[in-house]
Amino acid sequence: LVEAANCVRIHAKEYADFYCKKYNEVTKHQHKRALVLTARKLVRLVFALLSKGQIYQPGGNG
């Protein structure tokens, strides 16, 4: 999930912005913390999409 979140942050602006925000909040372990929080956000999105039977559309979900 963390590897998937890393790819998502590279390709999706919403997740890149979230990652940068979390990265700048702390001084230690910035990348790991920001990446895990981004993965957590991605899991919530995937769960919501599967629960509702929807397809991901950038900007519309998450």
Side-chain angles (χ1 to χ4, degrees), residues 23-61:
Y23 186 92
N24 292 323
E25 285 181 359
V26 293
T27 57
K28 288 188 176 183
H29 310 291
Q30 293 172 311
H31 174 68
K32 285 184 181 181
R33 180 179 185 278
L35 198 55
V36 167
L37 292 174
T38 304
R40 209 168 104 185
K41 180 179 172 104
L42 179 63
V43 167
R44 288 192 307 263
L45 172 68
V46 171
F47 179 77
L49 291 174
L50 290 174
S51 296
K52 296 174 185 176
Q54 295 179 340
I55 304 276
Y56 174 72
Q57 295 179 5
N61 299 321

